């Protein structure tokens, strides 16, 4: 198979799945692991994809982001472990904010039996909270279909009436110099406001967000504790110098 053909297949797999391991790409192309690794290096240099530990993810511009359907099938084991740890920090009597997102939805799945109040701007999070018997407040506003988030002036007006013991925030990028970033400026404002209204704030994000930057600044690293999965990124030391990083076991 020609190099151009392998590259086409690799990019098609990433387009369909969002991410893939070198073994999956080897099977898809019939090429050796070493050949696939060389292909990934070449495609990353062309800004066609991003290499991660053991594979690659689809390249996106700083202002685009995957849909809920795409995110719901990515890094599920990591997200579940992160959510389980995050939920263990929530105590009876807490008032919490759960950001829109697939990882925060998994936090909601872990809350059954807890006596607390939850506020969210994520429409997909609400059903999970209610199913687990949690007293829930949904922030109104403009619904963003791609991420399931309530955003805009009405949403900011709504969230400003609350105060939280803990907030759990999803994010697109965690960078040692640029802090926490996300693709949409309106979502960035919502996340920042939730952080400012909380006694304690936690970023819940799998390892693929480490070292990444997106279009809109949310907050500085020191403003939140990071809960993430195991990764071998060189950025870890620099990030850990600026805030607490809790790396969960899978």
């Amino acid at each position: 198979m020609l190099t151009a053909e392998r590259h086409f297949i690799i990019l098609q797999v990433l387009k369909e799945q969002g991410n893939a391991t070198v073994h999956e790409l080897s099977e898809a192309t019939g090429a050796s692991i070493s050949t696939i690794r060389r292909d990934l290096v070449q495609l990353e240099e062309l800004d066609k994809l991003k290499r991660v530990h053991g594979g690659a993810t689809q390249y996106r511009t700083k202002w685009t982001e995957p849909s809920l359907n795409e995110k719901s099938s990515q890094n599920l084991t990591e997200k579940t472990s992160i959510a389980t740890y995050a939920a263990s920090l929530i105590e009876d009597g807490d008032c919490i904010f759960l950001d829109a997102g697939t990882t925060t939805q998994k936090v909601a799945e872990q809350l059954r039996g807890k006596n607390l109040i939850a506020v969210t701007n994520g429409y997909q999070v609400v059903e999970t909270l209610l199913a687990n018997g949690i007293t829930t407040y949904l922030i109104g506003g403009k619904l963003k279909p791609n991420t399931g988030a309530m955003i805009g002036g009405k949403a900011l007006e709504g969230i400003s009436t609350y105060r939280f013991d803990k907030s759990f925030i999803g994010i697109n990028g965690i960078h040692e110099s640029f802090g926490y970033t996300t693709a949409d400026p309106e979502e960035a404002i919502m996340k920042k406001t939730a952080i400012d209204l909380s006694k304690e704030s936690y970023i819940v994000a799998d390892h693929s967000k480490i070292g990444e930057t997106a279009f809109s600044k949310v907050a500085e690293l020191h403003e939140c504790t990071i809960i993430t999965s195991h990764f071998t990124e060189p950025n870890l030391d620099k990030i850990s110098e600026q805030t607490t990083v809790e790396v969960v076991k899978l």
Side-chain angles (χ1 to χ4, degrees), residues 204-239:
V204 288
D206 65 70
H207 78 280
S208 66
K209 310 303 192 301
I210 304 296
E212 293 296 304
T213 59
F215 180 61
S216 302
K217 180 70 171 285
V218 174
E220 300 292 346
L221 287 178
H222 68 83
E223 297 183 63
C224 305
T225 294
I226 299 169
I227 305 174
T228 189
S229 49
H230 177 71
F231 59 92
T232 56
E233 297 280 353
N235 313 70
L236 177 59
D237 291 340
K238 293 180 180 179
I239 291 172

Side-chain angles (χ1 to χ4, degrees), residues 8 84 101 138 161 165 201 208 216:
F8 177 79
T84 300
L138 173 64
T161 63
D165 295 301
S201 295
S208 66
S216 302

Side-chain angles (χ1 to χ4, degrees), residues 95-97 119 139 155-169 189-202 219 223-224:
C95 296
I96 67 169
F97 175 78
V119 179
I139 295 170
L156 285 171
E157 182 181 330
I159 195 174
S160 67
T161 63
Y162 302 111
R163 299 296 181 271
F164 309 111
D165 295 301
K166 302 177 179 80
S167 62
F168 298 88
I169 309 296
I189 295 172
M190 283 295 296
K191 294 173 191 289
K192 173 60 173 171
T193 302
I195 291 168
D196 290 343
L197 294 174
S198 302
K199 292 180 182 178
E200 302 173 42
S201 295
Y202 299 89
E223 297 183 63
C224 305

Side-chain angles (χ1 to χ4, degrees), residues 6 16 28 62-63 83 98 154 163 180 207 211 217 221:
R6 288 199 312 275
E16 294 171 3
K62 293 185 183 301
W63 51 270
L98 288 179
K154 289 295 184 182
R163 299 296 181 271
Y180 307 114
H207 78 280
K217 180 70 171 285
L221 287 178

